[in-house]
Amino acid sequence: MWNIEYTIPTFLILLILLIYYAVRPKLKTRVNRTFSWLLAADVATMFFDYVSTIMDVYHGSYSIPALYVANTLFFVCFMLRSYLFYRMTVSVLELRFEKMKWSCGIAVGLLLLSVAIAVLSPWKQTMFSIDQEGYHSGPFYNVLYIQFLYCILLSIVLLFRFGRAMSKFDFVTVLIYNLLLLLGLVIRYLMPKVVIMNMFCLLAIFVVFLNFENPEHFIDKKTGLFSRTALETTMNELIATGGMRQMLGFVIKNYVENRELYGGRQMDAGIVSIAAYLKETFPKYTIYYLRSGQFVIGMQDGEDVEKVYEAIRDRFQNPWKAEDANLFLQVGFVTENSHTRFQHVAQFIDCLQDAFRRVDNLRKSECLVLDESRRQEWMHRLAVKRAIENAISENRVEVYLQPIVDAGTYTLVGAEALARITDTELGLIMPRDFIQIAEKNGSIITLGEQIFRKTCAFFAEYREQLGLQWINVNLSPIQCMDSDLPMQFSAIVNEYHIPPEGIHLEITEQQNVDSDSMNECIHEMRKMGFSFVLDDYGTGYSNMERIRKLPLINVKIDMSLVWEYFRTPDPMLPLCINLAQNIGASVTAEGVEERHMAEELHRQGCDYLQGYYFSPPVPMEDFVRKYRLDSGN
Ligand code: C2E
Ligand code: MG
Ligand code: MG
């Protein structure tokens, strides 16, 4: 007698899973046909298993042909399901079916053979037979086990061969569901009368569902739209297969500020209403929410991006309802299509984020096209980033020196150390291309130390020969946040036996920097003997109150202010010079490009001059050659 008490609850659970899977929105590219087929095969297997078992138990009540049909259908579904489990492994391992001709060929061959054996049973009693006494297993019954075992073992072999690149969790998941199937198969073999195999198959399907096929993985909880992971997955497949795509993205401008203004709850409610509007207005498109006010609408190539763009732009002319408030939001747009040759999804996502940041800064609802030139521009920036990282890690950042002269006599008194990176492919990279990047990723600390050390070594060797009183080194505000900086710099000047007074540290005022810890660092280093110079004075950040409190020995007037004065003389430059003198600091003018500028700046009260009129920044050897000669040595 068969024990079928497990079958009905197993069948019901499977039905619930099936309905759930069918109704949740799924990513088009991710809709895994194998999984859908597997679910269908499992339902059919369970159904015919139940029906045929009942019919076999009460065989007297049914005709022999009916019993043959029910049992044959069960065997065929069973073997098809075994095969589909194997295909599931192939699919999660992302293996190309054509590449594994042999192993797959055998799997298909075994499936066809075992199906033939089952189908021939009514005539040749191959897999089973039915007579007046009911159901009997046939001589080839074990083909059923061999076929399933082959599928499981092949899956495990493929996993160990090709699954190394997957995450550990994914790897273990595939292993677990295959082991569950193996266990179910062994139990069925040992206790064929207990109909429990289906439960193991359902467990295996659940494991696959939870980890690989769960549509929830791709849904953003707040908006019910597809998530960033979903976009990454879709793009990954489209880029890999060269599939057509058309994309329109938009970002809520000043998202962080708006969140502060309207409050987090209301802003979230606003995002939910935008999502609802998009879902309702564009039901046939795949819509993603990437967080931070960024939305992406995915379309097939050739669809009307322009119309969607206009509709959304117009909708944003009106406020969005959020709880009790009306939110007035502005948006910037980005489009992209299949013609941009992204090599992998990370490149696409980085370019997209970069484009979102840019449109955030554009004034109107402009649309930025993420085309090939933008991708190349981004690639260039990436190459620069790598070159910087290499140069810093290999201590190859060079120091160029620009002379600073006495404003009355034009004789050399000091110099400014300026960083340069030479890359074999990209050539000379200027500080404007790398200082910010180094500040962002923290490598400015190492870069700053390298520049400081090289400058100290130079100063120790040449200061007397060249008559240098001091050298200026630029200090990033990020370096000032590092509490080890004073001790580190002090140790370096001691190592080269130079007085700390010989090194002037140029600081700039910057927003977003904790001025308390910066002040603390400056005062501590001042006590150790280092001197401070205020760089880029007059560029807009300078705060009078703070300047008065800083122990500055020199103020450098920014070249933009100097040039402005020579274009249209106004009292700004004299005022700044005056202020510097009032706090007891000497004054250096930057950007002196012509002789008349030098003369006038001297008349205005500048003590020192720096600029192309005297010399651009040059490599250390050139600097030595030039000023040794100039001084007649
Ligand atoms: P800065 O400290 O204000 O340096 C002066 C900049 O003006 C230098 O640009 C210099 O080449 C340029 N300059 C000097 N005279 C003239 C002139 O007559 N005409 C024109 N058009 N330009 C002139 P550079 O070397 O490209 O450096 C740019 C900025 O990068 C520097 O501005 C400084 O803020 C930063 N920087 C350079 N080296 C370092 C470094 O080692 N550490 C840090 N933290 N920042 C650095
Ligand atoms: Mg400077
Ligand atoms: Mg400057």
Side-chain angles (χ1 to χ4, degrees):
M1 198 66 175
W2 283 283
N3 180 350
I4 55 169
E5 62 196 27
Y6 301 104
T7 307
I8 290 183
T10 311
F11 188 65
L12 289 179
I13 297 173
L14 181 65
L15 267 186
I16 294 172
L17 179 67
L18 193 72
I19 294 168
Y20 182 81
Y21 185 71
V23 297
R24 294 303 286 162
K26 286 180 287 296
L27 272 187
K28 279 205 186 69
T29 57
R30 276 297 295 188
V31 175
N32 190 327
R33 296 220 171 80
T34 311
F35 187 69
S36 314
W37 278 111
L38 180 61
L39 280 180
D42 200 37
V43 172
T45 310
M46 273 195 210
F47 176 76
F48 288 119
D49 197 3
Y50 185 72
V51 169
S52 61
T53 309
I54 297 281
M55 286 172 77
D56 291 347
V57 172
Y58 303 105
H59 56 88
S61 319
Y62 301 95
S63 69
I64 290 184
L67 286 168
Y68 265 118
V69 170
N71 280 286
T72 306
L73 283 173
F74 160 69
F75 282 117
V76 170
C77 291
F78 184 97
M79 290 175 298
L80 190 66
R81 180 179 67 180
S82 313
Y83 173 74
L84 286 168
F85 269 118
Y86 152 75
R87 285 301 302 261
M88 196 64 228
T89 307
V90 171
S91 157
V92 297
L93 286 172
E94 293 178 1
L95 299 175
R96 296 231 168 251
F97 199 57
E98 311 85 60
K99 273 196 185 164
M100 305 167 303
K101 281 197 185 110
W102 277 104
S103 55
C104 289
I106 297 178
V108 175
L110 258 179
L111 173 69
L112 294 177
L113 181 72
S114 41
V115 166
I117 290 174
V119 171
L120 279 177
S121 296
W123 297 277
K124 302 278 175 200
Q125 286 75 45
T126 34
M127 189 163 275
F128 66 97
S129 63
I130 289 167
D131 56 22
Q132 300 307 326
E133 279 147 44
Y135 170 93
H136 308 279
S137 296
F140 293 103
Y141 182 82
N142 283 346
V143 168
L144 180 97
Y145 292 110
I146 294 169
Q147 188 247 348
F148 203 170
L149 192 66
Y150 177 80
C151 289
I152 298 171
L153 294 182
L154 183 57
S155 297
I156 295 176
V157 169
L158 291 181
L159 174 69
F160 279 92
R161 176 121 190 255
F162 301 107
R164 303 263 169 234
M166 357 167 59
S167 76
K168 221 178 190 166
F169 193 76
D170 289 353
F171 186 92
V172 172
T173 307
V174 178
L175 190 61
I176 285 180
Y177 79 70
N178 278 293
L179 291 180
L180 277 172
L181 294 175
L182 196 59
L183 187 65
L185 193 69
V186 170
I187 292 178
R188 190 184 201 279
Y189 185 72
L190 299 177
M191 295 183 279
K193 298 278 168 188
V194 185
V195 187
I196 199 172
M197 174 89 204
N198 288 330
M199 208 176 78
F200 282 92
C201 289
L202 178 65
L203 283 177
I205 286 178
F206 245 99
V207 172
V208 174
F209 174 82
L210 290 176
N211 197 42
F212 298 110
E213 296 301 324
N214 187 350
E216 297 301 297
H217 283 325
F218 299 111
I219 292 177
D220 173 70
K221 293 272 176 307
K222 196 158 65 183
T223 55
L225 298 178
F226 287 111
S227 63
R228 183 194 171 113
T229 324
L231 179 65
E232 284 174 2
T233 313
T234 310
M235 285 306 287
N236 200 10
E237 293 192 22
L238 289 177
I239 291 171
T241 57
M244 289 304 205
R245 57 179 197 265
Q246 182 87 51
M247 182 215 89
L248 176 73
F250 67 89
V251 59
I252 296 174
K253 291 188 177 182
N254 306 319
Y255 179 77
V256 177
E257 289 79 359
N258 276 317
R259 229 182 141 75
E260 264 172 33
L261 180 72
Y262 292 115
R265 260 188 56 182
Q266 301 209 43
M267 196 65 188
D268 283 348
I271 295 286
V272 171
S273 8
I274 296 172
Y277 156 80
L278 292 172
K279 269 190 276 191
E280 199 184 310
T281 322
F282 311 109
K284 59 177 183 150
Y285 301 140
T286 318
I287 307 168
Y288 308 84
Y289 182 57
L290 314 188
R291 301 279 168 94
S292 310
Q294 300 170 347
F295 293 83
V296 169
I297 301 167
M299 307 170 205
Q300 294 286 303
D301 203 35
E303 278 176 313
D304 213 344
V305 175
E306 191 74 14
K307 270 196 194 134
V308 180
Y309 159 72
E310 280 166 11
I312 297 174
R313 188 197 55 195
D314 294 346
R315 175 60 189 84
F316 271 87
Q317 305 288 337
N318 299 315
W320 296 91
K321 274 247 168 294
E323 299 192 334
D324 309 324
N326 280 331
L327 311 186
F328 293 89
L329 303 169
Q330 285 200 323
V331 275
F333 292 86
V334 177
T335 61
E336 193 268 340
N337 58 36
S338 321
H339 307 302
T340 317
R341 290 192 298 275
F342 292 107
Q343 280 137 349
H344 43 76
V345 67
Q347 197 182 76
F348 164 76
I349 293 284
D350 282 344
C351 280
L352 181 67
Q353 293 289 334
D354 188 57
F356 274 144
R357 269 193 298 276
R358 281 167 194 237
V359 286
D360 198 1
N361 296 328
L362 295 179
R363 276 181 179 261
K364 286 189 258 138
S365 299
E366 281 168 82
C367 191
L368 197 143
V369 183
L370 208 62
D371 55 10
E372 188 53 21
S373 71
R374 238 169 244 291
R375 185 188 73 87
Q376 287 188 359
E377 186 190 308
W378 182 85
M379 292 283 287
H380 175 75
R381 261 187 290 151
L382 195 74
V384 171
K385 233 180 195 171
R386 271 199 217 114
I388 298 165
E389 276 163 19
N390 288 344
I392 296 177
S393 70
E394 292 161 16
N395 195 5
R396 278 193 292 104
V397 183
E398 286 172 77
V399 177
Y400 274 41
L401 293 169
Q402 186 176 29
I404 298 176
V405 301
D406 181 284
T409 61
Y410 299 167
T411 49
L412 182 78
V413 280
E416 176 171 4
L418 294 156
R420 296 286 184 272
I421 291 176
T422 321
D423 184 76
T424 39
E425 274 170 34
L426 301 165
L428 193 66
I429 309 175
M430 301 299 279
R432 65 169 173 273
D433 290 328
F434 64 80
I435 294 292
Q436 248 187 3
I437 296 178
E439 284 181 337
K440 266 197 195 143
N441 68 17
S443 56
I444 190 76
I445 305 280
T446 318
L447 181 139
E449 193 210 319
Q450 292 172 359
I451 298 285
F452 187 79
R453 179 176 284 281
K454 287 176 186 172
T455 308
C456 288
F458 179 88
F459 190 66
E461 192 171 348
Y462 293 105
R463 68 187 233 219
E464 279 171 13
Q465 270 189 55
L466 305 177
L468 280 174
Q469 295 175 24
W470 30 258
I471 295 192
N472 288 9
V473 176
N474 290 284
L475 199 62
S476 155
I478 309 290
Q479 289 173 271
C480 299
M481 303 289 127
D482 176 14
S483 55
D484 294 339
L485 185 86
M487 287 314 296
Q488 196 185 51
F489 275 21
S490 171
I492 297 175
V493 288
N494 287 340
E495 193 183 320
Y496 289 100
H497 308 291
I498 53 174
E501 292 77 15
I503 304 294
H504 292 183
L505 298 170
E506 292 193 8
I507 50 167
T508 46
E509 288 227 304
Q510 273 188 21
Q511 290 159 327
N512 315 327
V513 169
D514 173 11
S515 56
D516 284 344
S517 47
M518 191 160 159
N519 284 0
E520 215 170 276
C521 166
I522 292 172
H523 282 101
E524 190 181 340
M525 292 185 79
R526 184 82 189 108
K527 274 188 224 141
M528 291 172 156
F530 291 101
S531 305
F532 284 87
V533 169
L534 183 69
D535 199 2
D536 303 340
Y537 183 58
T539 47
Y541 288 129
S542 311
N543 166 328
M544 300 283 174
E545 183 58 20
R546 219 171 97 68
I547 290 168
R548 267 197 322 117
K549 286 189 187 154
L550 287 175
L552 300 170
I553 59 149
N554 179 267
V555 170
K556 292 179 83 174
I557 313 277
D558 192 70
M559 58 186 124
S560 58
L561 196 75
V562 171
W563 294 345
E564 189 55 39
Y565 178 79
F566 285 98
R567 264 196 297 270
T568 44
D570 64 12
M572 262 313 272
L573 181 86
L575 266 175
C576 286
I577 295 174
N578 208 274
L579 184 106
Q581 286 166 340
N582 272 334
I583 58 167
S586 57
V587 179
T588 305
E590 288 187 310
V592 184
E593 294 194 344
E594 286 165 30
R595 189 177 177 97
H596 77 95
M597 291 168 82
E599 286 164 358
E600 176 62 17
L601 288 161
H602 177 47
R603 252 197 306 281
Q604 288 291 339
C606 291
D607 305 281
Y608 305 107
L609 305 173
Q610 176 180 355
Y612 290 177
Y613 174 63
F614 304 103
S615 164
V618 291
M620 283 174 162
E621 315 79 75
D622 295 359
F623 189 86
V624 171
R625 215 172 297 129
K626 179 163 186 202
Y627 289 97
R628 219 178 7 211
L629 288 177
D630 280 1
S631 59
N633 295 328

